Each structure stands twice: as C-alpha cells, then as structure tokens.
Amino acid sequence: MCGIVGYVGRRPGKPVILDGLRRLEYRGYDSAGIALIEEGGIDTVRAVGNLDALFAAAGENRSEACVGLGHTRWATHGKPSEENAHPHSDCSGRISIVLNGIVENYKELRARLTEHGHTFTSETDAEVVAHLIEEHGGKGLAAAVRGALGEMDGHYAFCAISADEPDVVVGTRHECPLVVGVGEHEMFFASAIPAFLTHTRRVVVLEDGDVVTLRADGAEYTDVAGEPLVREETEFPGDDDAAEKAGYETFMLKEIHEQPAALRDTLAGRLCEDGTVDLSEVGMGDDFLRRLRRIFIVACGTSYHAGLIVSYAIEQLARVPVQIDVASEFRYREPVFDPDTLVIGITQSGESADTLAAMRLAREAGSPVLALTNTPGSQATRDSDFVLYTRAGLEIGVAATKTHTAQVAAMLLLALRLAWARGSMPEDALKALGHELRTVPELAEQLLARPSAIKEIAERYHDERFFLYLGRGMGFAVCLEGALKLKEISYIPTEAYAAGEMKHGPIALLDVESPVVVVADDGPVFPKLVSNIEEVRARGADVIAVATDDNDVIGELSRDVLWIPKTDHHLAPILAVIPLQLLAYHIAGIKGLNVDQPRNLAKTVTVE
Ligand code: BG6
C-alpha cells in the first residue's frame, strides 16, 4: 500500500518528510518521491527503487522549504517508473498531489480532462487528481480539492499543495487511512502514525469525506460541502513497533484485518458498475480467451490453495478444463503443453523458485503464461506474458492471509471474465455474480467486526494433538488452507480431507472429542456433507463448523458454528477462510508462539 507524508511547519520540511517516508517503508513500495514549495515554485524529485535512490536523487543540498509532500508508491496502475512515481503535478506545475488507493473512474476523468486540453505525463490513475484540482481552481486549494472530490469514484486518501498557497497542505480521505499529527508550530499528514511519531504523539484520525487544511499553527476541518467540522485529538499510546502494526499485537493479526481493504483494492477499477469485469490491463483479449482449451494453475503453499479454490469456479462458470499442481511437482512431471493452454503462476512474492521454474518451463514449451502476483517488478512479472496484480499491500506475516484472499478475488475476476468472453453463462447471471463480488469486501468487514466464539474454541482445543478438517467442493480447498494455517503457526499436526474420502482412512483417527473442523460450502453438495458430519459425530468427535448465517441445519450437528455472511457459494471461500485464520491465530497465541515468524518457515522460498 502506498505511503503518504505531508508537512507544514517553521523548519525545513525535506528531512522531516524523508524521515517520515523511511518510517513507512514497512508498507512496501517500488518507487518514491518528494515535492517541496521552494521560492521559485514546487520542486519535485522522484526515483524508482528503494528510498536510498530517492535520498540520492534528492541530494544533500539543504532546502529551506517548510511545506511539502512525500510518497512511497505500491504500483497499481502503471509500472514502477519515475514518471509514474508520485508526487504528480497539474499542467502548470503549481499544484502537486500524492495519493494512496484507487480512483476507479480515472479513465473517463482522464479522457474528459484531455479533451479540455490537459496533458498527462504518467499512466497512473492518481495524476487525474492534480488536473481536477487545477480545473476547480480559483477559490483556494481546499475548495478546489472539494470540487475534485465531487467527481471522483473509488477509495483513496490524498494530499495536495499549491505554489499559490505556499503555507498550507490540504488532505482528504475516502476509505483509505489518513491521519493528522499535531506538533508545536508544525502539522503533519500521514497514511500511518509511524511517519511522524518521533515528532508528536498528538493524533487526529480523519473520517471519510473530511477535507483538512493544515497550516503551521493548526488545522481546519470541513466536510466535502465545506461545512466546518470538529475532530477530536488523541494521544497515541504505543511505540514505533505498535504503530507499524497499527496497534495490532502482531503483523499477522493486522493483515487478517486488512483483508477488506486488500479485497477492495484488488477489485477496484476491475469490477464495473454494471457487474461486468474489466481486465483490459492484463491484455488477454476475447479471441485469446475463447481459444483457450485448458488452464494449468501452478503455485506453492497458500497460493496453491487459492488456485485450488478458484479452479472449481473457473470450470463451473467458464467451462474451461483446469488442472492444478504444486509447482515443485509440476516442473518435474513432464506435463504436456500446447499454445492453447494458459498456465497461471500464482505467487504473492513473485519469487518462489518452484513456481518461477514451472512458469519458465511452460513458456519455453510455447504455452502463454499469466503471473498472478502481489509484487510489482518481481521475477514472475518478467517470466510471464501477462500479469494480474493483487493489491494487498506488503504482507509481513510469514503465514499468508490477506494475499490469499486477494488472490482468490483476483482469480474470481478472471473466472468471470473468461465466462463472459466464452459466453458460457447467461450475461445477467454473470452480472449478478459481479455485483455480488462487489459486496464481498463489506461482508468481510462485517465478519471481522462480529463478536465470535473463536477465542473460547481456541482455549478449549489449544492442547489438542491433532485436528481433522473436512469439506466438499470449494469447502475442501478452504479446509486445506485452514489446516495449513494451524499447522504453520501452532505446529499442531492437521489433516484436511475431502469429506467423501473420510471412510477411506481418516475416520480411523477420530476419538471422543477429537476436534473436526467442517467447512459447510452451501452449494449442491451440502446434503452429502451432512451425512459425513453425522458419521463424525457418531464417533464422538467435536464438530466445529464454518457455515453461512442462513444455514438452519448445521447448528444441531455441531458443537460450535463459526458463522459467515451469506453470499454466492462461488464467492463464499473468501469469507470462510477468515474464521479459520483467526482460529489458528488464537490457538498459536494461547500457546505463546511467534505467529509472525513461525519456526523453520520463510516468507518466500527462493530456493528449491
Ligand atoms: C511460503 C509462505 O514460504 O511460500 C507461504 O510461507 C506462501 O505463506 C508460499 O503461500 C508461496 O509463496 P508465494 O510468494 O509464491 O505466494
């Protein structure tokens, strides 16, 4: 996720802003920039790569500028490059902005602004904001920002400066974080508190729609209409580490709770208002998609589970045969390739050795390769013909969480796009699914906000020596991921099985009160799953079920139910995995284990 820093004060802003960017590095980025209001106008420096490149480009020269903006960019629209790095300017160069998030309607805005004679210098969505502010100029920067907001769709936070008002910074937010730091004769904007924590602990957390004007000696808050607002100042109690974790006890828990935002970012600009999917950024046209005769999915670990979950949806919705394999097997089993087989490499890091090798093997054999990755500029983006990005932001916890659900969401977009191109489903049914997918981030938000019995369940079973996970269809794939999470961070042996296979072995493992997690995918196979649950209960095991709110059968079959909001069963896996992430998390926490860095595991396995 991008990082924003804004500063207005009585001392030189350059070192303050650069230090603030350094403290936002944990958010992940691929380029950075700074803009300062100097005597002659706005001076902007941008650089690709890590902050050392920006520091070198900005040079050691002392600047007396007391107002400026800084930005670390996590590329979404437009590759990592100096031209695409923020800050972005308007045509006059007298306005400069930095943005975090997505302007979903940037294409139509850019077209209209271009018709009005604006010239663009980047491929980004963010740049349109600078030109919108220019268009709405004449009544002051804050009014121009409010005017721009009236035309923008999406979710974003941005800050703006103007050479015509050299003593202010204006900032606003809509579904992306922006906080104000209140200093002594200096004020700060930032995407996250660590950016200014060494200067002040006095914080004002903004609400969606707030438009804030900062001057050295204070802040003026209004709503989008310009009506004055009052915002409470609080004292941030934590230290730097707590701030980087946004107050959560671990990165993993923070990242579990970042899933709604990661889903929103991944879907933004790709799910149209009418429910159709726009993946034109990927470059696979209708003809190409129609010609496909088969899809191979290759991945490792949690990414493999994302592929397995959506392999069901691709076959059911797009009627394209899908094979999926762990990359370390795929690369050595001499698979048969052909030009009409699309190979999809799912890798959040874009660096997993086995997945890269599998992708290279496919490409050398003449099959087109799509990389689904969370990391711009990673090796996977270079070893592929097409790239589809998840936009989950940097994931620090070794056990993947938000990147997994973002992968599922991105793959579902692909499934819908494929079905549309191939006419495999009625268009109104596809649009309805697209509309439903748009609601999933909000459903995830609601789910994470619910009180739940997970901690009590974790307390009850944290000493267990074994967990069995059972499911059917996509529910089975979710079980694989849930079982892996528990194994990875609590070191408890687990096994995930297709429920229909239970009588062929796993049932021998059950004892009285053995914990059995069941993911009740409420698709057509649910009645079969009910029989399996009965068989489990007949052996005295404790059933912990994951089920949708409207399931009125599961309650009497289970000792505990982890309820999730109702949605289409193709989309439900995104929600179903969340309680299983939290169950694993709390069990590991009770056992006093380090969930962010579990023993023997690495975040990215760059060797075979
Ligand atoms: C493992 C990580 O090392 O690699 C997992 O611990 C991850 O969380 C797996 O799923 C695959 O990584 P990637 O980057 O290829 O998705």
Side-chain angles (χ1 to χ4, degrees):
M1 310 218 217
C2 304
I4 288 175
V5 177
Y7 177 77
V8 50
R10 303 244 172 98
R11 55 177 165 144
K14 180 176 172 182
V16 175
I17 292 169
L18 291 174
D19 174 62
L21 293 180
R22 188 66 86 187
R23 295 171 184 281
L24 294 182
E25 280 196 291
Y26 69 90
R27 297 167 66 86
Y29 64 101
D30 44 61
S31 53
I34 182 172
L36 295 163
I37 300 184
E38 303 285 0
E39 283 304 312
I42 293 176
D43 179 25
T44 300
V45 178
R46 300 178 295 183
V48 181
N50 70 25
L51 282 177
D52 297 341
L54 177 64
F55 279 52
E60 299 299 323
N61 57 308
R62 180 179 164 79
S63 157
E64 296 307 322
C66 301
V67 180
L69 300 173
H71 189 265
T72 49
R73 179 175 183 245
W74 181 280
T76 54
H77 293 76
K79 62 187 178 303
S81 68
E82 192 174 324
E83 299 73 31
N84 289 334
H86 305 203
H88 287 293
S89 303
D90 70 326
C91 303
S92 72
R94 297 188 65 74
I95 292 166
S96 182
I97 68 102
V98 289
L99 179 136
N100 175 25
I102 310 256
V103 183
E104 286 196 31
N105 61 334
Y106 81 99
K107 287 176 185 168
E108 47 263 37
L109 289 172
R110 185 176 174 129
R112 179 172 67 69
L113 290 160
T114 303
E115 269 171 38
H116 286 191
H118 290 264
T119 50
F120 285 81
T121 59
S122 81
E123 306 162 302
T124 66
D125 56 323
E127 188 186 352
V128 299
V129 178
H131 296 281
L132 282 176
I133 292 172
E134 181 184 15
E135 280 236 321
H136 288 273
K139 298 182 291 299
L141 184 56
V145 165
R146 286 192 287 269
L149 284 174
E151 300 196 61
M152 292 165 61
D153 292 338
H155 57 283
Y156 44 77
F158 68 84
C159 293
I161 55 176
S162 166
D164 300 327
E165 288 180 64
D167 58 346
V168 306
V169 183
V170 176
T172 186
R173 57 154 286 165
H174 178 69
E175 295 179 358
C176 276
L178 189 67
V179 291
V180 168
V182 182
E184 290 303 317
H185 306 304
E186 60 185 12
M187 298 291 283
F188 306 81
F189 277 121
S191 303
I193 292 166
F196 53 67
L197 199 58
T198 51
H199 307 295
T200 179
R201 290 182 175 283
R202 296 164 59 192
V203 174
V204 178
V205 177
L206 302 182
E207 305 291 333
D208 284 350
D210 288 4
V211 178
V212 186
T213 301
L214 296 186
R215 291 180 173 80
D217 287 322
E220 186 187 332
Y221 303 89
T222 73
D223 63 14
V224 176
E227 292 304 311
L229 292 172
V230 175
R231 284 287 174 255
E232 290 309 307
E233 194 181 296
T234 56
E235 182 83 12
F236 181 76
D239 58 15
D240 286 15
D241 187 47
E244 282 189 13
K245 293 170 186 160
Y248 289 100
E249 58 199 14
T250 62
F251 281 111
M252 184 176 174
L253 189 60
K254 169 173 167 283
E255 285 150 10
I256 288 173
H257 285 269
E258 282 178 337
Q259 288 183 110
L263 290 165
R264 229 176 251 126
D265 283 352
T266 298
L267 296 174
R270 295 162 167 175
L271 259 181
C272 306
E273 288 285 335
D274 64 359
T276 57
V277 171
D278 173 4
L279 289 182
S280 48
E281 71 192 81
V282 179
M284 297 188 293
D286 280 4
D287 293 345
F288 172 83
L289 295 172
R290 284 194 199 101
R291 231 187 14 256
L292 288 182
R293 296 205 346 266
R294 183 178 53 165
I295 288 176
F296 270 142
I297 298 175
V298 293
C300 306
T302 294
S303 298
Y304 168 77
H305 296 150
L308 183 62
I309 285 168
V310 191
S311 65
Y312 290 86
I314 292 173
E315 286 215 346
Q316 290 164 9
L317 301 176
R319 309 310 293 158
V320 179
V322 180
Q323 278 181 265
I324 178 162
D325 221 339
V326 288
S328 52
E329 287 296 307
F330 182 84
R331 62 183 292 197
Y332 293 113
R333 64 172 176 76
E334 297 174 27
V336 174
F337 295 104
D338 65 55
D340 295 333
T341 292
L342 173 65
V343 175
I344 303 175
I346 303 179
T347 167
Q348 79 83 17
S349 64
E351 302 295 348
S352 288
D354 285 319
T355 305
L356 293 176
M359 292 165 68
R360 281 191 199 111
L361 183 71
R363 216 165 176 215
E364 284 154 13
S367 284
V369 174
L370 164 69
L372 174 63
T373 186
N374 195 48
T375 312
S378 60
Q379 188 59 39
T381 63
R382 291 191 282 273
D383 290 350
S384 52
D385 303 288
F386 309 104
V387 180
L388 175 56
Y389 285 110
T390 49
R391 299 174 185 146
L394 184 68
E395 185 174 67
I396 294 173
V398 166
T401 49
K402 64 176 182 173
T403 55
H404 170 71
T405 45
Q407 287 168 342
V408 175
M411 286 291 285
L412 285 168
L413 287 173
L414 188 62
L416 293 173
R417 178 73 186 85
L418 261 169
W420 188 274
R422 300 170 72 92
S424 55
M425 273 179 71
E427 291 188 356
D428 54 352
L430 278 174
K431 287 183 176 180
L433 255 180
H435 283 301
E436 186 66 22
L437 183 53
R438 282 174 77 92
T439 69
V440 168
E442 176 55 32
L443 294 179
E445 197 114 58
Q446 293 169 13
L447 175 56
L448 284 163
R450 283 183 185 182
S452 98
I454 291 176
K455 284 187 179 171
E456 290 76 57
I457 297 169
E459 197 60 58
R460 191 185 312 143
Y461 296 111
H462 70 277
D463 276 336
E464 284 297 330
R465 55 171 184 74
F466 173 72
F467 276 68
L468 179 63
Y469 289 69
L470 294 176
R472 283 181 177 258
M474 284 174 276
F476 164 54
V478 173
C479 281
L480 285 167
E481 176 54 17
L484 176 62
K485 281 285 140 318
L486 188 62
K487 193 182 291 161
E488 278 179 311
I489 64 175
S490 74
Y491 318 145
I492 295 175
T494 62
E495 182 78 83
Y497 247 82
E501 273 292 290
M502 197 178 57
K503 293 189 284 293
H504 306 286
I507 201 162
L509 296 171
L510 298 184
D511 203 340
V512 172
E513 294 189 348
S514 300
V516 176
V517 177
V518 174
V519 175
D521 171 307
D522 62 354
V525 290
F526 179 66
K528 299 291 179 197
L529 187 63
V530 170
S531 324
N532 299 136
I533 296 175
E534 296 286 11
E535 289 154 9
V536 165
R537 293 177 69 231
R539 271 79 188 168
D542 283 357
V543 174
I544 305 161
V546 175
T548 47
D549 292 339
D550 64 334
N551 187 321
D552 53 13
V553 170
I554 202 76
E556 69 260 22
L557 296 173
S558 318
R559 174 163 182 174
D560 297 279
V561 182
L562 303 173
W563 298 104
I564 61 174
K566 172 73 180 165
T567 185
D568 181 278
H569 85 279
H570 292 103
L571 315 181
I574 293 176
L575 302 175
V577 76
I578 293 175
L580 299 187
Q581 293 168 342
L582 288 166
L583 179 63
Y585 180 83
H586 289 301
I587 288 177
I590 292 166
K591 294 166 74 86
L593 298 170
N594 179 345
V595 294
D596 281 340
Q597 279 103 25
R599 71 183 180 197
N600 311 334
L601 295 183
K603 182 62 186 168
T604 305
V605 178
T606 54
V607 295
E608 276 201 57

